[in-house]
């Protein structure tokens, strides 16, 4: 195998980028699709309102509707997970909720919204007035990486007192109405946090191919992303990229190609051997774009291979030939 110098490799990267640009045309200045979201309630604490209660249903409906109106793709947990887990389970911890969200394959979920509802009523120490109390904390988690995106809680709101003789039916309706209003505030705050998290990152390319410039090699022969250009929008997502059966020179070349992909954030080697390597790769590209880039990379490297994808893992296997 002939040795490719860093200068030639930088030129090859630039040529590859130009070739793909000719084939695919200029990248449209469109924002990427917003992440898929599922809203789930954690009710393991015996003091929380359990799943199935009408207060719980009004809160989850309000959270879902508010985020849906803000343009996010919100999926019903029961509808997407009923084939793999028993519906209507109650008193679930966050570990179970995250496991369910990660196990759903169609559609792939990006963000899970986990909330709790604490509702009670207390009698005044000076009269027979009874006031309801509601507290709703919520948080956002990246399903694939477990990264905390943000959290928000509405508590300490002075709620109207309950009418005299308010029975259980009255209590559920009154507290449910107040909880719905509070849930709207929680959803608005969480959505604002998510908007900021997926906001375009200025100074990065947002196309669907690779990007490189002939005059931008850095130390080690890698090629830096072109400055300026379109901005990358989308949820920062981490993938595991495994290379099997490649030579040391091919692994080095592949790492430089991956660092030149558009919307690339950064990567970190997890393990490396004589014929294999594994990387933790963070990008704002979706899985379809990253998979296409990896296949184009193998084609340009003249390295026969296959690309498999499952969950958040890409496996690139070198196909040995005589």
């Amino acid at each position: 195998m002939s040795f490719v110098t860093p200068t030639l490799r930088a030129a090859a990267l630039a040529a590859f980028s130009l070739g793909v640009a000719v084939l695919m045309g200029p990248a449209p200045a469109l924002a990427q699709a917003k992440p898929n979201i599922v809203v789930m309630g954690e009710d393991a604490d015996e003091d929380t309102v359990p799943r199935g209660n009408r207060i719980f249903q009004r809160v989850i409906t309000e959270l879902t509707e508010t985020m849906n109106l803000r343009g996010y793709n919100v999926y019903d947990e029961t509808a997407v997970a009923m084939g793999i887990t028993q519906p209507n389970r109650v008193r679930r911890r966050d570990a179970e909720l995250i496991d369910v969200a990660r196990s759903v394959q169609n559609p792939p979920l990006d963000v899970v919204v986990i909330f709790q509802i604490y509702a009670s009523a207390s009698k005044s120490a000076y009269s027979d007035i009874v006031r309801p109390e509601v507290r709703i904390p919520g948080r956002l988690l990246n399903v694939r990486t477990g990264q905390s995106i943000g959290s928000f809680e509405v508590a300490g709101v002075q709620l109207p007192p309950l009418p005299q003789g308010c029975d259980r039916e009255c209590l559920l309706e009154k507290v449910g109405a107040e909880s719905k209003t509070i849930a709207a505030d929680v959803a608005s705050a969480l959505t604002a946090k998510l908007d900021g998290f997926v906001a375009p990152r200025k100074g990065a390319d947002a196309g669907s191919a690779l990007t490189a410039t002939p005059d931008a090699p850095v130390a080690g022969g890698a090629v830096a992303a072109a400055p300026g250009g379109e901005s990358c929008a989308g949820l920062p997502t981490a993938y595991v990229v495994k290379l099997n059966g490649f030579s040391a020179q091919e692994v080095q070349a592949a790492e430089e190609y991956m660092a030149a992909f558009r919307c690339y954030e950064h990567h970190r080697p997890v393990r490396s051997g004589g014929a294999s390597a594994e990387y933790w790769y963070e990008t704002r590209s979706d899985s379809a774009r990253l998979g296409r880039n990896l296949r184009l990379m193998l084609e340009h490297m003249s390295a026969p291979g296959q690309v498999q994808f499952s969950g958040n893992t890409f496996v690139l296997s070198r196909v040995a030939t005589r």
Side-chain angles (χ1 to χ4, degrees), residues 45 105 120 175 194 198 216 237 243 269 280 284 287 303 305 307 314 316:
D45 189 343
Q105 298 291 326
S120 62
V175 174
L194 190 56
V198 302
T237 306
L243 306 176
W280 179 262
R284 288 180 181 261
S287 57
V307 178
F314 282 93
L316 283 67

Side-chain angles (χ1 to χ4, degrees), residues 236-247:
T237 306
Y239 298 94
V240 176
V241 180
K242 298 181 180 180
L243 306 176
N244 295 327
F246 292 88
S247 66

